[in-house]
Every structure is written in structure tokens, then in C-alpha cells.
Amino acid sequence: MIYGIIAAILIILICILFLPLKAELNYKEQMSIRVFFSGIPVYKTILKGKGKESSNLPEEKAKKLEKNSKKLGNKIDDFRIFYKMTVKLLKRHVSLEEIKLKVDFGTGEAATTAILTGALWGALYGLIGRIGHICYIKKHNVNITPVYNEARFSFEGKCIFKSNAAYIIFIAITILMKIKSRKGKEE
């Protein structure tokens, strides 16, 4: 009797772990994240940017830039190390349901706007191609509107990822174990 109850609970937990999990990232002046578990919203947050800094001294800016560039170099090294492993895991277990990008772009000069709009098209589709190499993209929509008569840049984006909770937990544990083993070797 007890073994039957334990087995039933384990089966229910395993079934819950393989229910679909979606994460929706939106950007329109602010970044927002919503997470759905089997179609039910379970998490929502709005990320707010940091306030503007008041320091204008060149020496302080130079020191801060040097410090931030060293941090960025370390983060790039970490990213490079985990990139291949993460890509392999994501290819199998995560799909992108939808990518929407809307950009209004203008420099105030028609010729420059036209050239830079073409470059922006190339860069965004190159990025989408690279993302498509990492995981399956079901639907994408990119809209870049050149604004020839004024200087403007506005960006809106939406991205929906889909996977199962069990796969996300597996990927996170695998990456955390790799990070821990790397940090142990450094010390």
C-alpha cells in the first residue's frame, strides 16, 4: 500500500517535470519576463535599468572602464568555455517558439540611413541564423523601418522559449557542475 502511494507520487512528479515550460522575454522601453508552466502564468517581473551616474571626471571614468573591461574579459573567457556544452544541450531540449523584432531607425540623412539600415538587416538576420544553429526557431518576424527625415532609434522585441522543466533543471545542474569544477581548478 505504502509502496503504491510512493510510486504514484513519483509518477506524478515525473509527469509534472515533463510538462511544457515557456519563458517570454519582452522589451519595449523596459524588459519584462513572464514564465508559463503548462500554459499557466507562474512568474512575471519587470527589469528596471540603473540610474544615471553623476560622476563626469575623466580619471574616474577611465578607472571604471579599465575595471569593467577586466571583468568583461573574464566573463568572455567563461562564456567561451561553456558555449559548446550549452549549445549541445540546448539543441536537444529547447526551442524558440517566436522571435519578434521591431526597429525604427534613422540618422537624419537619407543615404546614411539607407546604408545603416541594410547593415542592421544583415546583422539581425546573422544573429537569428546563429540562434537558429543553437536551437530550433519555429517562427520569426523582423521589421526594420528606416526613418529618413529624423534621427531616431527605437527597439521592441519579444522572444518565447519552450522546453520542459526537467530539461531546464538538467541543463542548469550540468552547467553549475562545470562552473564549480572550473573554479576549483583555478584556486
Side-chain angles (χ1 to χ4, degrees):
M1 172 88 174
I2 277 238
Y3 293 120
I5 293 172
I6 292 173
I9 290 172
L10 285 175
I11 290 171
I12 290 170
L13 286 174
I14 289 172
C15 289
I16 288 173
L17 285 176
F18 287 99
L19 287 174
L21 181 70
K22 281 187 181 181
E24 182 179 300
L25 306 172
N26 288 308
Y27 181 82
K28 185 178 180 179
E29 296 179 15
Q30 288 184 341
M31 177 74 122
S32 68
I33 300 171
R34 295 187 327 173
V35 177
F36 299 89
F37 188 70
S38 190
I40 301 167
V42 294
Y43 180 76
K44 181 179 180 179
T45 187
I46 296 175
L47 304 173
K48 296 180 182 173
K50 296 179 181 176
K52 301 279 183 189
E53 292 185 20
S54 61
S55 174
N56 290 330
L57 297 175
E59 298 85 18
E60 289 179 19
K61 285 184 178 180
K63 287 180 183 177
K64 192 168 197 170
L65 179 63
E66 183 179 353
K67 181 181 174 185
N68 288 339
S69 63
K70 286 180 182 178
K71 285 181 183 178
L72 180 63
N74 291 337
K75 288 183 180 188
I76 289 173
D77 285 343
D78 289 342
F79 177 76
R80 184 180 43 82
I81 289 168
F82 303 115
Y83 177 76
K84 285 186 179 180
M85 178 187 64
T86 306
V87 166
K88 190 163 75 171
L89 292 170
L90 288 176
K91 272 185 183 179
R92 289 187 232 152
H93 304 299
V94 176
S95 68
L96 256 133
E97 290 292 305
E98 179 179 12
I99 294 178
K100 280 186 181 179
L101 299 172
K102 182 178 183 259
V103 180
D104 292 336
F105 176 75
T107 62
E109 231 180 274
T112 308
T113 299
I115 291 169
L116 292 177
T117 301
L120 192 58
W121 273 105
L124 285 177
Y125 269 101
L127 181 63
I128 288 175
R130 189 65 186 160
I131 292 170
H133 174 71
I134 294 170
C135 61
Y136 173 72
I137 300 175
K138 189 172 184 179
K139 184 169 86 172
H140 69 277
N141 182 11
V142 176
N143 185 13
I144 299 175
T145 307
V147 181
Y148 293 109
N149 56 356
E150 67 179 277
R152 182 188 333 171
F153 183 81
S154 67
F155 174 82
E156 295 177 25
K158 180 179 181 179
C159 184
I160 301 174
F161 295 93
K162 184 177 179 182
S163 185
N164 294 328
Y167 295 139
I168 299 298
I169 292 169
F170 170 71
I171 291 170
I173 289 172
T174 305
I175 291 172
L176 288 173
M177 287 173 49
K178 189 74 171 177
I179 289 171
K180 188 173 181 178
S181 70
R182 178 167 156 54
K183 295 222 178 190
K185 289 178 182 177
E186 287 178 357
E187 293 175 359

Short mmCIF file of all heavy atoms in Angstrom, two decimals, residues 156-177:
data_model
loop_
_atom_site.label_atom_id
_atom_site.label_comp_id
_atom_site.label_asym_id
_atom_site.label_seq_id
_atom_site.Cartn_x
_atom_site.Cartn_y
_atom_site.Cartn_z
N GLU A 156 11.84 47.27 -30.18
CA GLU A 156 10.91 46.43 -29.44
C GLU A 156 11.23 44.99 -29.80
O GLU A 156 11.50 44.68 -30.95
CB GLU A 156 9.46 46.73 -29.82
CG GLU A 156 8.98 48.10 -29.47
CD GLU A 156 7.56 48.35 -29.94
OE1 GLU A 156 6.80 47.38 -30.10
OE2 GLU A 156 7.23 49.52 -30.16
N GLY A 157 11.18 44.11 -28.82
CA GLY A 157 11.46 42.72 -29.09
C GLY A 157 10.65 41.79 -28.22
O GLY A 157 10.23 42.15 -27.12
N LYS A 158 10.40 40.61 -28.73
CA LYS A 158 9.69 39.58 -28.00
C LYS A 158 10.29 38.24 -28.38
O LYS A 158 10.55 37.98 -29.55
CB LYS A 158 8.21 39.61 -28.35
CG LYS A 158 7.38 38.57 -27.64
CD LYS A 158 5.91 38.69 -28.03
CE LYS A 158 5.07 37.69 -27.31
NZ LYS A 158 3.65 37.81 -27.66
N CYS A 159 10.53 37.40 -27.39
CA CYS A 159 11.14 36.11 -27.63
C CYS A 159 10.50 35.09 -26.69
O CYS A 159 10.43 35.33 -25.48
CB CYS A 159 12.63 36.22 -27.36
SG CYS A 159 13.55 34.75 -27.73
N ILE A 160 10.02 33.98 -27.22
CA ILE A 160 9.38 32.95 -26.41
C ILE A 160 10.16 31.65 -26.55
O ILE A 160 10.29 31.11 -27.64
CB ILE A 160 7.91 32.73 -26.84
CG1 ILE A 160 7.12 34.03 -26.71
CG2 ILE A 160 7.28 31.62 -26.00
CD1 ILE A 160 5.70 33.94 -27.25
N PHE A 161 10.70 31.16 -25.42
CA PHE A 161 11.41 29.89 -25.36
C PHE A 161 10.46 28.82 -24.85
O PHE A 161 9.61 29.09 -24.01
CB PHE A 161 12.59 29.97 -24.38
CG PHE A 161 13.66 30.91 -24.80
CD1 PHE A 161 13.66 32.23 -24.35
CD2 PHE A 161 14.68 30.49 -25.61
CE1 PHE A 161 14.65 33.10 -24.73
CE2 PHE A 161 15.69 31.36 -26.00
CZ PHE A 161 15.66 32.67 -25.55
N LYS A 162 10.64 27.59 -25.31
CA LYS A 162 9.81 26.49 -24.84
C LYS A 162 10.69 25.28 -24.55
O LYS A 162 11.57 24.93 -25.33
CB LYS A 162 8.76 26.11 -25.88
CG LYS A 162 7.80 25.05 -25.41
CD LYS A 162 6.74 24.78 -26.45
CE LYS A 162 5.80 23.70 -25.96
NZ LYS A 162 4.81 23.37 -26.97
N SER A 163 10.43 24.64 -23.41
CA SER A 163 11.15 23.44 -23.01
C SER A 163 10.33 22.75 -21.94
O SER A 163 9.19 23.12 -21.69
CB SER A 163 12.54 23.79 -22.49
OG SER A 163 13.26 22.61 -22.22
N ASN A 164 10.92 21.75 -21.31
CA ASN A 164 10.31 21.09 -20.17
C ASN A 164 11.11 21.42 -18.92
O ASN A 164 12.32 21.64 -18.99
CB ASN A 164 10.29 19.57 -20.36
CG ASN A 164 9.39 19.17 -21.50
OD1 ASN A 164 8.40 19.82 -21.76
ND2 ASN A 164 9.74 18.11 -22.19
N ALA A 165 10.45 21.44 -17.77
CA ALA A 165 11.12 21.79 -16.52
C ALA A 165 12.28 20.83 -16.24
O ALA A 165 13.34 21.24 -15.77
CB ALA A 165 10.12 21.78 -15.37
N ALA A 166 12.09 19.56 -16.52
CA ALA A 166 13.14 18.58 -16.25
C ALA A 166 14.40 18.89 -17.06
O ALA A 166 15.52 18.80 -16.54
CB ALA A 166 12.65 17.18 -16.59
N TYR A 167 14.24 19.28 -18.31
CA TYR A 167 15.40 19.60 -19.15
C TYR A 167 16.10 20.86 -18.65
O TYR A 167 17.33 20.93 -18.65
CB TYR A 167 14.98 19.79 -20.60
CG TYR A 167 14.45 18.53 -21.24
CD1 TYR A 167 13.36 18.57 -22.08
CD2 TYR A 167 15.04 17.30 -21.00
CE1 TYR A 167 12.87 17.42 -22.67
CE2 TYR A 167 14.56 16.14 -21.59
CZ TYR A 167 13.47 16.21 -22.42
OH TYR A 167 12.99 15.09 -23.00
N ILE A 168 15.33 21.86 -18.25
CA ILE A 168 15.93 23.09 -17.74
C ILE A 168 16.73 22.80 -16.47
O ILE A 168 17.85 23.28 -16.30
CB ILE A 168 14.85 24.15 -17.46
CG1 ILE A 168 14.09 24.51 -18.74
CG2 ILE A 168 15.45 25.40 -16.82
CD1 ILE A 168 14.92 25.11 -19.83
N ILE A 169 16.18 21.99 -15.58
CA ILE A 169 16.89 21.60 -14.36
C ILE A 169 18.16 20.84 -14.71
O ILE A 169 19.23 21.09 -14.17
CB ILE A 169 15.97 20.77 -13.44
CG1 ILE A 169 14.86 21.66 -12.89
CG2 ILE A 169 16.76 20.15 -12.30
CD1 ILE A 169 13.74 20.90 -12.19
N PHE A 170 18.07 19.91 -15.66
CA PHE A 170 19.23 19.13 -16.10
C PHE A 170 20.32 20.03 -16.67
O PHE A 170 21.50 19.91 -16.33
CB PHE A 170 18.79 18.08 -17.13
CG PHE A 170 19.93 17.38 -17.80
CD1 PHE A 170 20.72 16.48 -17.12
CD2 PHE A 170 20.23 17.66 -19.13
CE1 PHE A 170 21.77 15.83 -17.74
CE2 PHE A 170 21.28 17.03 -19.77
CZ PHE A 170 22.05 16.11 -19.07
N ILE A 171 19.94 20.96 -17.54
CA ILE A 171 20.91 21.88 -18.15
C ILE A 171 21.55 22.75 -17.08
O ILE A 171 22.78 22.93 -17.07
CB ILE A 171 20.23 22.74 -19.24
CG1 ILE A 171 19.84 21.87 -20.44
CG2 ILE A 171 21.13 23.89 -19.68
CD1 ILE A 171 18.95 22.56 -21.45
N ALA A 172 20.75 23.29 -16.17
CA ALA A 172 21.28 24.14 -15.10
C ALA A 172 22.26 23.39 -14.21
O ALA A 172 23.34 23.90 -13.88
CB ALA A 172 20.14 24.72 -14.27
N ILE A 173 21.91 22.17 -13.82
CA ILE A 173 22.80 21.37 -12.96
C ILE A 173 24.11 21.06 -13.70
O ILE A 173 25.20 21.17 -13.12
CB ILE A 173 22.10 20.09 -12.49
CG1 ILE A 173 21.02 20.44 -11.46
CG2 ILE A 173 23.09 19.10 -11.89
CD1 ILE A 173 20.13 19.28 -11.07
N THR A 174 24.01 20.70 -14.96
CA THR A 174 25.21 20.39 -15.75
C THR A 174 26.13 21.61 -15.85
O THR A 174 27.34 21.50 -15.64
CB THR A 174 24.81 19.92 -17.16
OG1 THR A 174 23.90 18.83 -17.05
CG2 THR A 174 26.01 19.50 -17.96
N ILE A 175 25.56 22.76 -16.12
CA ILE A 175 26.37 23.97 -16.24
C ILE A 175 26.96 24.36 -14.89
O ILE A 175 28.14 24.73 -14.81
CB ILE A 175 25.53 25.12 -16.85
CG1 ILE A 175 25.23 24.80 -18.32
CG2 ILE A 175 26.25 26.46 -16.73
CD1 ILE A 175 24.26 25.74 -18.97
N LEU A 176 26.17 24.28 -13.82
CA LEU A 176 26.68 24.63 -12.49
C LEU A 176 27.81 23.69 -12.06
O LEU A 176 28.79 24.14 -11.45
CB LEU A 176 25.56 24.62 -11.46
CG LEU A 176 24.56 25.77 -11.58
CD1 LEU A 176 23.39 25.58 -10.62
CD2 LEU A 176 25.23 27.11 -11.34
N MET A 177 27.69 22.40 -12.38
CA MET A 177 28.76 21.47 -12.05
C MET A 177 30.04 21.82 -12.83
O MET A 177 31.15 21.75 -12.29
CB MET A 177 28.33 20.03 -12.34
CG MET A 177 27.32 19.51 -11.33
SD MET A 177 26.61 17.90 -11.73
CE MET A 177 28.02 16.91 -12.11
#
